[in-house]
Amino acid sequence: MSIIEPRITDLLDATDNDRFLLCALASKRAHDINDMMRGQRDRAIQLQTAVEIAKAADRKPLSMAFSEIARGDVSYDPETIDAENH
């Protein structure tokens, strides 16, 4: 499997060409997205609205996280990263 969009070079550019930082950033954001989607799905089930359930299941959380990183919507503070020991 490969990533087509966003391009891996764009993702690495957003994380100073640090693939481990990219992985950590995407993983954390995907986890946050998954938690939000789970909350929406639970709320939609309570309200019994199929439209909201379908919207929440449209894309995978990791794909959404990669797109956000490539757009610059998700970033990190280089001051808080120990580049030698992460």
Side-chain angles (χ1 to χ4, degrees), residues 37-49 52:
M37 288 174 61
R38 188 175 301 123
Q40 287 179 359
R41 187 170 42 244
D42 292 344
R43 186 174 58 91
I45 289 170
Q46 289 174 353
L47 298 174
Q48 297 178 353
T49 57
E52 290 187 30

Side-chain angles (χ1 to χ4, degrees), residues 5-70:
E5 281 298 319
R7 299 182 56 80
I8 192 70
T9 54
D10 296 338
L11 293 168
L12 286 172
D13 286 345
T15 56
D16 297 327
N17 290 317
D18 187 336
R19 62 181 180 237
F20 300 109
L21 179 59
L22 172 60
C23 181
L25 193 62
S27 173
K28 172 128 179 58
R29 181 60 184 144
H31 182 71
D32 292 344
I33 291 169
N34 195 31
D35 286 346
M36 288 187 301
M37 288 174 61
R38 188 175 301 123
Q40 287 179 359
R41 187 170 42 244
D42 292 344
R43 186 174 58 91
I45 289 170
Q46 289 174 353
L47 298 174
Q48 297 178 353
T49 57
V51 174
E52 290 187 30
I53 295 171
K55 284 181 184 176
D58 189 32
R59 291 181 66 200
K60 302 285 186 208
L62 191 56
S63 296
M64 295 170 76
F66 280 139
S67 294
E68 290 178 356
I69 292 168

